Every structure is written in structure tokens, then in C-alpha cells.
Amino acid sequence: PVISLPIKYIQRDGTNSYVMLDVNGKAVKRIVKLGQSYNGITEITEGLKDGEVVISNGQVGLMDGDKISVVK
């Protein structure tokens, strides 16, 4: 299966692209490799597994290990 995300969920630091994940209430920085992009959606070719929870709102400024709360 192909994992794709809106480009706005993907951040950069220098030469790496990464996303922030919710792992047991903590933000975890995960380096990802990108594939093709189309219409604002980008393929993730390495770094994510099906079922992992990507932080989609408020991820800018989060640091690896920060405690987070999920608001529905």
C-alpha cells in the first residue's frame, strides 16, 4: 500500500523531510522520504507504517518528546 499525506503535514529541517507522530501522547519526529506529489498530496516512500498517527494540526513548533493532547 502507498502512504500519502497532504504536503502541509510534512516539515523540513535542513536536508531532511519529517512528520510529527503521536506516540502514546508524545510528539515523535520521524524522518521520511518523499515520492511524487500531485495536487497538494505527497507520497511517502520510506519512514511511515500504515496505522501510525501523524499530527495534522499544531505540529509546527513541536519538539521531539513534547507531551501532546488530542482534541477532537
Side-chain angles (χ1 to χ4, degrees):
V2 174
I3 297 175
S4 299
L5 294 174
I7 193 72
K8 67 182 180 178
Y9 298 173
I10 302 165
Q11 300 180 67
R12 293 194 54 80
D13 65 356
T15 59
N16 293 317
S17 296
Y18 68 95
V19 295
M20 297 302 289
L21 302 177
D22 174 0
V23 179
N24 300 320
K26 288 191 177 183
V28 174
K29 180 179 177 178
R30 178 73 59 81
I31 304 296
V32 294
K33 293 201 180 192
L34 307 180
Q36 296 187 22
S37 293
Y38 178 75
N39 205 23
I41 304 294
T42 300
E43 177 184 25
I44 307 298
T45 59
E46 288 182 39
L48 282 182
K49 298 176 197 153
D50 190 34
E52 291 184 306
V53 180
V54 175
I55 299 172
S56 60
N57 193 9
Q59 74 275 25
V60 176
L62 274 179
M63 301 295 287
D64 196 38
D66 284 350
K67 288 185 180 182
I68 58 171
S69 297
V70 176
V71 178
K72 295 183 180 183

